[in-house]
mmCIF file of all heavy atoms in Angstrom:
data_model
loop_
_atom_site.group_PDB
_atom_site.id
_atom_site.type_symbol
_atom_site.label_atom_id
_atom_site.label_comp_id
_atom_site.label_asym_id
_atom_site.label_seq_id
_atom_site.Cartn_x
_atom_site.Cartn_y
_atom_site.Cartn_z
ATOM 1 N N SER S 1 7.108 -60.055 77.569
ATOM 2 C CA SER S 1 8.518 -59.869 77.241
ATOM 3 C C SER S 1 9.383 -60.808 78.061
ATOM 4 O O SER S 1 9.285 -60.835 79.284
ATOM 5 C CB SER S 1 8.942 -58.419 77.521
ATOM 6 O OG SER S 1 10.326 -58.265 77.336
ATOM 7 N N PRO S 2 10.258 -61.595 77.414
ATOM 8 C CA PRO S 2 11.085 -62.547 78.155
ATOM 9 C C PRO S 2 12.128 -61.878 79.032
ATOM 10 O O PRO S 2 12.688 -62.498 79.904
ATOM 11 C CB PRO S 2 11.750 -63.378 77.042
ATOM 12 C CG PRO S 2 11.727 -62.489 75.843
ATOM 13 C CD PRO S 2 10.477 -61.676 75.961
ATOM 14 N N SER S 3 12.413 -60.616 78.793
ATOM 15 C CA SER S 3 13.405 -59.908 79.603
ATOM 16 C C SER S 3 12.795 -58.617 80.121
ATOM 17 O O SER S 3 13.375 -57.552 80.039
ATOM 18 C CB SER S 3 14.664 -59.614 78.773
ATOM 19 O OG SER S 3 15.225 -60.770 78.260
ATOM 20 N N SER S 4 11.575 -58.717 80.645
ATOM 21 C CA SER S 4 10.805 -57.540 81.021
ATOM 22 C C SER S 4 11.598 -56.600 81.913
ATOM 23 O O SER S 4 12.182 -57.000 82.909
ATOM 24 C CB SER S 4 9.518 -57.961 81.740
ATOM 25 O OG SER S 4 8.731 -56.849 82.055
ATOM 26 N N GLY S 5 11.606 -55.294 81.539
ATOM 27 C CA GLY S 5 12.264 -54.283 82.347
ATOM 28 C C GLY S 5 13.727 -54.088 82.032
ATOM 29 O O GLY S 5 14.334 -53.154 82.542
ATOM 30 N N ASP S 6 14.323 -54.946 81.197
ATOM 31 C CA ASP S 6 15.740 -54.848 80.924
ATOM 32 C C ASP S 6 16.064 -54.103 79.636
ATOM 33 O O ASP S 6 17.222 -53.938 79.298
ATOM 34 C CB ASP S 6 16.370 -56.254 80.846
ATOM 35 C CG ASP S 6 16.374 -56.947 82.197
ATOM 36 O OD1 ASP S 6 16.388 -56.252 83.218
ATOM 37 O OD2 ASP S 6 16.358 -58.186 82.208
ATOM 38 N N GLY S 7 15.051 -53.687 78.897
ATOM 39 C CA GLY S 7 15.301 -52.991 77.642
ATOM 40 C C GLY S 7 15.808 -51.589 77.886
ATOM 41 O O GLY S 7 15.359 -50.876 78.796
ATOM 42 N N VAL S 8 16.763 -51.154 77.080
ATOM 43 C CA VAL S 8 17.255 -49.781 77.169
ATOM 44 C C VAL S 8 16.135 -48.848 76.727
ATOM 45 O O VAL S 8 15.560 -49.031 75.651
ATOM 46 C CB VAL S 8 18.494 -49.595 76.278
ATOM 47 C CG1 VAL S 8 18.906 -48.130 76.211
ATOM 48 C CG2 VAL S 8 19.648 -50.445 76.789
ATOM 49 N N PRO S 9 15.777 -47.856 77.549
ATOM 50 C CA PRO S 9 14.662 -46.975 77.181
ATOM 51 C C PRO S 9 14.995 -46.115 75.966
ATOM 52 O O PRO S 9 16.159 -45.812 75.696
ATOM 53 C CB PRO S 9 14.466 -46.116 78.426
ATOM 54 C CG PRO S 9 15.768 -46.169 79.154
ATOM 55 C CD PRO S 9 16.335 -47.522 78.877
ATOM 56 N N LEU S 10 13.972 -45.728 75.243
ATOM 57 C CA LEU S 10 14.144 -44.845 74.105
ATOM 58 C C LEU S 10 14.775 -43.532 74.553
ATOM 59 O O LEU S 10 14.305 -42.890 75.483
ATOM 60 C CB LEU S 10 12.788 -44.574 73.441
ATOM 61 C CG LEU S 10 12.758 -43.478 72.372
ATOM 62 C CD1 LEU S 10 13.631 -43.842 71.190
ATOM 63 C CD2 LEU S 10 11.321 -43.207 71.926
ATOM 64 N N ASP S 11 15.827 -43.143 73.884
ATOM 65 C CA ASP S 11 16.523 -41.893 74.177
ATOM 66 C C ASP S 11 16.461 -41.025 72.923
ATOM 67 O O ASP S 11 17.142 -41.309 71.930
ATOM 68 C CB ASP S 11 17.974 -42.181 74.556
ATOM 69 C CG ASP S 11 18.746 -40.923 74.943
ATOM 70 O OD1 ASP S 11 18.238 -39.816 74.700
ATOM 71 O OD2 ASP S 11 19.865 -41.060 75.471
ATOM 72 N N PRO S 12 15.655 -39.961 72.922
ATOM 73 C CA PRO S 12 15.544 -39.119 71.725
ATOM 74 C C PRO S 12 16.884 -38.537 71.275
ATOM 75 O O PRO S 12 17.062 -38.281 70.083
ATOM 76 C CB PRO S 12 14.581 -38.006 72.162
ATOM 77 C CG PRO S 12 13.800 -38.604 73.285
ATOM 78 C CD PRO S 12 14.753 -39.518 73.988
ATOM 79 N N THR S 13 17.816 -38.353 72.202
ATOM 80 C CA THR S 13 19.109 -37.784 71.804
ATOM 81 C C THR S 13 19.959 -38.784 71.029
ATOM 82 O O THR S 13 21.025 -38.433 70.520
ATOM 83 C CB THR S 13 19.905 -37.301 73.030
ATOM 84 O OG1 THR S 13 20.378 -38.415 73.797
ATOM 85 C CG2 THR S 13 19.070 -36.392 73.904
ATOM 86 N N ARG S 14 19.469 -40.031 70.934
ATOM 87 C CA ARG S 14 20.167 -41.032 70.118
ATOM 88 C C ARG S 14 19.301 -41.515 68.948
ATOM 89 O O ARG S 14 19.660 -42.495 68.303
ATOM 90 C CB ARG S 14 20.603 -42.217 70.986
ATOM 91 C CG ARG S 14 21.846 -41.918 71.834
ATOM 92 C CD ARG S 14 22.516 -43.178 72.317
ATOM 93 N NE ARG S 14 23.781 -42.956 72.999
ATOM 94 C CZ ARG S 14 24.957 -42.804 72.410
ATOM 95 N NH1 ARG S 14 25.035 -42.809 71.097
ATOM 96 N NH2 ARG S 14 26.056 -42.636 73.109
ATOM 97 N N SER S 15 18.223 -40.822 68.659
ATOM 98 C CA SER S 15 17.386 -41.190 67.516
ATOM 99 C C SER S 15 17.648 -40.245 66.350
ATOM 100 O O SER S 15 17.548 -39.013 66.500
ATOM 101 C CB SER S 15 15.897 -41.143 67.880
ATOM 102 O OG SER S 15 15.102 -41.214 66.705
ATOM 103 N N LEU S 16 17.941 -40.814 65.195
ATOM 104 C CA LEU S 16 18.169 -40.013 63.997
ATOM 105 C C LEU S 16 16.921 -39.241 63.574
ATOM 106 O O LEU S 16 17.018 -38.313 62.768
ATOM 107 C CB LEU S 16 18.614 -40.918 62.842
ATOM 108 C CG LEU S 16 20.002 -41.544 62.972
ATOM 109 C CD1 LEU S 16 20.188 -42.623 61.906
ATOM 110 C CD2 LEU S 16 21.079 -40.484 62.851
ATOM 111 N N LEU S 17 15.763 -39.610 64.093
ATOM 112 C CA LEU S 17 14.512 -38.966 63.723
ATOM 113 C C LEU S 17 14.186 -37.780 64.612
ATOM 114 O O LEU S 17 13.202 -37.069 64.364
ATOM 115 C CB LEU S 17 13.358 -39.973 63.792
ATOM 116 C CG LEU S 17 13.577 -41.308 63.088
ATOM 117 C CD1 LEU S 17 12.322 -42.167 63.200
ATOM 118 C CD2 LEU S 17 13.962 -41.104 61.632
ATOM 119 N N SER S 18 14.968 -37.543 65.642
ATOM 120 C CA SER S 18 14.642 -36.543 66.653
ATOM 121 C C SER S 18 15.407 -35.240 66.437
ATOM 122 O O SER S 18 16.579 -35.241 66.058
ATOM 123 C CB SER S 18 14.957 -37.098 68.047
ATOM 124 O OG SER S 18 14.836 -36.104 69.031
ATOM 125 N N GLU S 19 14.740 -34.130 66.727
ATOM 126 C CA GLU S 19 15.417 -32.836 66.696
ATOM 127 C C GLU S 19 16.442 -32.724 67.825
ATOM 128 O O GLU S 19 17.311 -31.851 67.780
ATOM 129 C CB GLU S 19 14.387 -31.710 66.812
ATOM 130 C CG GLU S 19 13.450 -31.605 65.606
ATOM 131 C CD GLU S 19 12.463 -30.462 65.741
ATOM 132 O OE1 GLU S 19 12.479 -29.809 66.809
ATOM 133 O OE2 GLU S 19 11.687 -30.224 64.789
ATOM 134 N N GLU S 20 16.351 -33.598 68.812
ATOM 135 C CA GLU S 20 17.283 -33.572 69.937
ATOM 136 C C GLU S 20 18.521 -34.452 69.693
ATOM 137 O O GLU S 20 19.337 -34.631 70.605
ATOM 138 C CB GLU S 20 16.595 -34.074 71.204
ATOM 139 C CG GLU S 20 15.352 -33.307 71.612
ATOM 140 C CD GLU S 20 14.637 -33.993 72.760
ATOM 141 O OE1 GLU S 20 15.269 -34.209 73.813
ATOM 142 O OE2 GLU S 20 13.456 -34.340 72.590
ATOM 143 N N TYR S 21 18.660 -34.993 68.498
ATOM 144 C CA TYR S 21 19.726 -35.957 68.235
ATOM 145 C C TYR S 21 21.099 -35.406 68.627
ATOM 146 O O TYR S 21 21.483 -34.316 68.212
ATOM 147 C CB TYR S 21 19.730 -36.353 66.759
ATOM 148 C CG TYR S 21 20.755 -37.417 66.421
ATOM 149 C CD1 TYR S 21 20.698 -38.662 67.026
ATOM 150 C CD2 TYR S 21 21.784 -37.162 65.536
ATOM 151 C CE1 TYR S 21 21.638 -39.645 66.743
ATOM 152 C CE2 TYR S 21 22.735 -38.140 65.228
ATOM 153 C CZ TYR S 21 22.656 -39.367 65.841
ATOM 154 O OH TYR S 21 23.587 -40.346 65.567
ATOM 155 N N ARG S 22 21.795 -36.190 69.469
ATOM 156 C CA ARG S 22 23.145 -35.917 69.972
ATOM 157 C C ARG S 22 23.199 -34.676 70.874
ATOM 158 O O ARG S 22 24.283 -34.216 71.226
ATOM 159 C CB ARG S 22 24.153 -35.772 68.835
ATOM 160 C CG ARG S 22 24.171 -36.905 67.818
ATOM 161 C CD ARG S 22 24.693 -38.202 68.350
ATOM 162 N NE ARG S 22 26.114 -38.195 68.666
ATOM 163 C CZ ARG S 22 26.784 -39.273 69.054
ATOM 164 N NH1 ARG S 22 26.154 -40.434 69.184
ATOM 165 N NH2 ARG S 22 28.066 -39.212 69.328
ATOM 166 N N ALA S 23 22.048 -34.157 71.309
ATOM 167 C CA ALA S 23 22.017 -33.052 72.275
ATOM 168 C C ALA S 23 21.932 -33.667 73.664
ATOM 169 O O ALA S 23 20.870 -33.735 74.281
ATOM 170 C CB ALA S 23 20.824 -32.137 72.006
ATOM 171 N N PHE S 24 23.055 -34.119 74.173
ATOM 172 C CA PHE S 24 23.082 -34.961 75.370
ATOM 173 C C PHE S 24 22.902 -34.202 76.683
ATOM 174 O O PHE S 24 22.787 -34.829 77.741
ATOM 175 C CB PHE S 24 24.411 -35.721 75.427
ATOM 176 C CG PHE S 24 24.641 -36.674 74.279
ATOM 177 C CD1 PHE S 24 25.921 -36.910 73.787
ATOM 178 C CD2 PHE S 24 23.581 -37.345 73.694
ATOM 179 C CE1 PHE S 24 26.137 -37.787 72.743
ATOM 180 C CE2 PHE S 24 23.787 -38.228 72.638
ATOM 181 C CZ PHE S 24 25.067 -38.443 72.162
ATOM 182 N N ASP S 25 22.857 -32.892 76.646
ATOM 183 C CA ASP S 25 22.873 -32.109 77.892
ATOM 184 C C ASP S 25 21.710 -32.423 78.818
ATOM 185 O O ASP S 25 21.846 -32.340 80.037
ATOM 186 C CB ASP S 25 22.874 -30.617 77.555
ATOM 187 C CG ASP S 25 24.075 -30.212 76.714
ATOM 188 O OD1 ASP S 25 24.036 -30.516 75.496
ATOM 189 O OD2 ASP S 25 25.026 -29.628 77.242
ATOM 190 N N GLY S 26 20.552 -32.804 78.260
ATOM 191 C CA GLY S 26 19.392 -33.042 79.100
ATOM 192 C C GLY S 26 19.199 -34.487 79.521
ATOM 193 O O GLY S 26 18.190 -34.811 80.155
ATOM 194 N N VAL S 27 20.161 -35.357 79.237
ATOM 195 C CA VAL S 27 20.017 -36.774 79.567
ATOM 196 C C VAL S 27 20.200 -36.975 81.070
ATOM 197 O O VAL S 27 21.199 -36.520 81.651
ATOM 198 C CB VAL S 27 21.037 -37.625 78.783
ATOM 199 C CG1 VAL S 27 20.961 -39.089 79.203
ATOM 200 C CG2 VAL S 27 20.790 -37.485 77.285
#
């Protein structure tokens, strides 16, 4: 990866596929 370590990690509360979508309390 040309920018190793700089990618924003996957956040299930921002995935439309997740049951946690927009449930930000646990972030």
Side-chain angles (χ1 to χ4, degrees):
S1 174
S3 302
S4 183
D6 292 333
V8 172
L10 170 63
D11 183 348
T13 71
R14 283 199 173 276
S15 167
L16 291 169
L17 311 182
S18 172
E19 293 181 356
E20 302 172 57
Y21 184 60
R22 308 291 292 185
F24 297 147
D25 301 76
V27 176

